Amino acid sequence: MIDTDELAHRNAGFADGGSFAGLGLMPRGSLTVIGCVDPRVDPSDVLGLGLGEAAVIRNVGGRVTPATLRTLGMLAKVVRARTGGPGPGDNHYAVLHHTDCGITDLAAYPELLADYFEVPAGDLDARAVTDPVAAVRVDVGILKRKLRAGVFVSGLVYDVATGLIDVVVPPARVDA
């Protein structure tokens, strides 16, 4: 088990490196990644992102749920509070799903998933829980309907066996 003493030791090494100094609240790469909590799929490692380059939202399955949309709405308010505007139109929202995801095991619990997605259990098939490629397309579609015009949205699937991503949905600008 990694305990707090170990965490404090690791943090001291991080702090000594000083890589956090001068970082701003807004991601300098204008990127927000929505990914899974699976420890094999840390978006910063998988996508080679540096500290401060992207905002990362992680949940079970890396899914765009109503809670994810509420989080994105809150982040938009933070941007407005800090900058006075919605931010540049070249922001990129990347959905990152992966193979061998534990969310597929939850298909046996439709009531739990229905609650997670805030939909009736009969509507779960439309969420493509057992197919990461189809699920990425579903989630990108939701973002394209919910995000402001001008931003970019893409969808990726990471293969836990090869370490490579597949660009399922190339970056596309959200229409007005």
Side-chain angles (χ1 to χ4, degrees):
M1 175 178 80
I2 299 173
D3 63 16
T4 54
D5 289 338
E6 176 63 20
L7 293 174
H9 174 74
R10 291 179 187 195
N11 174 254
F14 168 80
D16 284 345
S19 63
F20 59 90
L23 290 177
L25 178 65
M26 305 307 158
R28 68 179 181 274
S30 298
L31 174 66
T32 298
V33 178
I34 301 166
C36 186
V37 298
D38 187 318
R40 300 172 295 174
V41 191
D42 185 319
S44 295
D45 289 331
V46 168
L47 301 174
L49 299 170
L51 188 62
E53 237 178 335
V56 177
I57 300 169
R58 295 177 76 178
N59 65 25
V60 175
R63 299 306 305 264
V64 176
T65 65
T68 307
L69 294 172
R70 289 189 292 271
T71 297
L72 290 172
M74 291 172 74
L75 292 174
K77 297 255 188 239
V78 170
V79 169
R80 274 189 220 104
R82 293 288 177 117
T83 67
D90 62 351
N91 287 343
H92 179 191
Y93 296 84
V95 176
L96 175 65
H97 292 193
H98 65 93
T99 60
D100 190 36
C101 185
I103 199 170
T104 62
D105 298 323
L106 299 177
Y109 304 95
E111 295 80 18
L112 178 66
L113 284 174
D115 193 41
Y116 182 59
F117 287 109
E118 298 180 26
V119 299
D123 293 348
L124 283 174
D125 285 348
R127 298 300 173 149
V129 172
T130 60
D131 180 349
V133 171
V136 159
R137 289 188 178 112
V138 167
D139 286 352
V140 166
I142 292 169
L143 289 177
K144 284 182 175 181
R145 289 189 302 275
K146 298 293 184 177
L147 294 177
R148 67 183 168 86
V151 300
F152 289 87
V153 180
S154 65
L156 316 168
V157 174
Y158 171 71
D159 187 320
V160 298
T162 67
L164 297 173
I165 62 165
D166 181 25
V167 178
V168 175
V169 180
R173 195 175 292 276
V174 173
D175 295 327

